[in-house]
Amino acid sequence: MAEREKVLVFCSRGSDYRTRHVMNDLKTIMPHSRGESKMSKKTSITMINEIASMAKCTKCIYFESRKKKDVYMWLTNVEDGPSVKFLVHNIHTMEELRLTGNCLKASRPVLSFGSEFDVQPSSRVIKELLKQTFATPNHHPRSQPFIDHIFSFSMTPDGKIWFRNFQVVDEKMELQEIGPRMVLEIATVFAGSFEGAVLYENPNYVNPNAVRRQMKLAQRNKYVNRKMTEEGRKEKDEKLQQIKLPDLVGEEFDTNRKVTDEKALEIMKAIDTKLARPKKSKTKKARLG
């Protein structure tokens, strides 16, 4: 990388606070970065090439916000391409995490890549683009001649890149996380800058709109199933009410049944005479006393 190379880092209008904070964190830990005012969503995304060339930037990191729910990150080589489109998950800023790690503001980082980046040609292209974008050029005017933190990039089998920033505590290579952290899901790799032929398309990538649509369909089916269950329960209750079941309790405890047993008749007669006796009132008892 040339000594004077710069990276343009900015976002679109309508970005949420988390996206803006992680963008500012990247500007802080990348001394060779340069900011720009937010770009309107109505402007064509290819206009970023002209904005970057006017700012004398060779690379660009652009955060595109859609529907105030989804955040995409474009990583591109402005001059000749290629460019990569990521869907950003699990954004955590430095202020939010408040981790114990710390480093000099303008120090140069060491970039660490997992062995998964050397498996496929597409991952090798992404690795080279990440290296050229996040690595601070040697002897850059804004950088300091110190190396005290590491940018870690690791890839999962489903095409998601985990980004972490660690402090190198001592010579024993003990690490403490500084932040920020985020997960980048690979969507598409283009041959040009924000345009061109599609070099790679992640087969595991699912559009967030399709995910939300599936969730709505599942909720709708859940509502329909609940209503069908309620109707079936009502029909079952109506059928049970129409069936006349034998009254076993009434047969056992029928008081109108004729009693023929002599002992039972004597007990009934004693109960009736006891009930027929007049009860003495409490007032009479008090007067007699």
Side-chain angles (χ1 to χ4, degrees):
M1 293 179 68
E3 295 180 4
R4 294 283 180 175
E5 281 194 359
K6 291 181 289 184
V7 179
L8 184 65
V9 182
F10 70 120
C11 64
S12 65
R13 290 193 179 277
S15 300
D16 59 351
Y17 73 96
R18 198 181 294 273
T19 305
R20 295 194 302 269
H21 282 222
V22 76
M23 179 187 68
N24 292 330
D25 289 345
L26 289 179
K27 290 180 187 178
T28 303
I29 62 179
M30 295 170 61
H32 61 297
S33 64
R34 174 174 177 171
E36 184 68 30
S37 59
K38 298 176 185 177
M39 193 178 77
S40 175
K41 294 181 180 180
K42 297 179 181 179
T43 308
S44 175
I45 196 169
T46 55
M47 287 293 294
I48 298 176
N49 296 326
E50 297 183 12
I51 297 171
S53 61
M54 290 173 64
K56 297 180 181 180
C57 296
T58 56
K59 306 294 186 297
C60 179
I61 300 175
Y62 175 63
F63 289 93
E64 182 183 6
S65 179
R66 295 183 183 177
K67 297 183 178 181
K68 296 185 178 179
K69 298 178 181 178
D70 309 323
V71 180
Y72 292 91
M73 191 184 88
W74 288 83
L75 197 69
T76 179
N77 183 5
V78 177
E79 295 176 347
D80 302 321
S83 57
V84 186
K85 182 181 179 182
F86 300 99
L87 178 64
V88 188
H89 302 278
N90 302 333
I91 297 175
H92 297 283
T93 62
M94 293 168 64
E95 292 183 359
E96 179 186 2
L97 293 172
R98 294 187 178 181
L99 297 169
T100 56
N102 194 9
C103 66
L104 293 173
K105 186 174 181 180
S107 60
R108 297 177 61 219
V110 174
L111 272 64
S112 172
F113 292 91
S115 59
E116 304 86 6
F117 283 92
D118 299 327
V119 176
Q120 296 180 356
S122 59
S123 59
R124 288 197 290 269
V125 171
I126 295 170
K127 175 184 176 181
E128 187 63 29
L129 190 58
L130 289 169
K131 190 189 301 182
Q132 294 180 10
T133 305
F134 284 90
T136 303
N138 194 11
H139 303 297
H140 193 276
R142 291 187 176 181
S143 66
Q144 294 183 2
F146 301 105
I147 297 174
D148 59 353
H149 64 288
I150 296 174
F151 289 164
S152 172
F153 298 92
S154 56
M155 182 183 290
T156 59
D158 57 349
K160 292 180 181 178
I161 299 173
W162 291 58
F163 171 75
R164 298 289 186 273
N165 181 22
F166 296 96
Q167 174 196 0
V168 181
V169 180
D170 51 16
E171 296 178 356
K172 296 180 181 179
M173 294 300 291
E174 292 185 4
L175 303 178
Q176 290 183 353
E177 189 171 358
I178 305 171
R181 64 168 70 157
M182 56 184 171
V183 179
L184 307 174
E185 184 178 3
I186 302 169
T188 317
V189 180
F190 296 95
S193 179
F194 297 102
E195 59 183 357
V198 177
L199 300 179
Y200 173 74
E201 194 169 1
N202 186 6
N204 298 318
Y205 169 73
V206 180
N207 195 304
N209 293 328
V211 175
R212 285 191 288 268
R213 185 172 179 274
Q214 291 176 0
M215 292 174 65
K216 286 183 179 179
L217 289 174
Q219 291 177 357
R220 187 183 68 179
N221 294 335
K222 186 178 179 180
Y223 173 77
V224 172
N225 293 334
R226 188 174 72 248
K227 287 298 180 182
M228 290 177 65
T229 305
E230 290 178 0
E231 291 178 0
R233 193 182 299 115
K234 287 181 181 178
E235 292 179 359
K236 186 177 179 180
D237 293 341
E238 289 175 358
K239 290 179 180 179
L240 288 174
Q241 289 176 2
Q242 293 176 1
I243 299 173
K244 293 183 179 180
L245 299 174
D247 190 6
L248 301 176
V249 177
E251 292 180 358
E252 293 292 332
F253 300 96
D254 188 6
T255 55
N256 297 323
R257 187 174 54 185
K258 291 182 179 181
V259 181
T260 56
D261 192 3
E262 294 180 357
K263 291 184 179 180
L265 289 169
E266 291 177 2
I267 294 170
M268 289 177 65
K269 189 176 180 181
I271 293 171
D272 292 338
T273 53
K274 189 174 182 180
L275 292 172
R277 291 177 185 173
K279 294 182 179 180
K280 295 180 181 179
S281 62
K282 294 182 180 180
T283 55
K284 289 182 179 180
K285 287 183 179 180
R287 287 175 184 176
L288 292 171

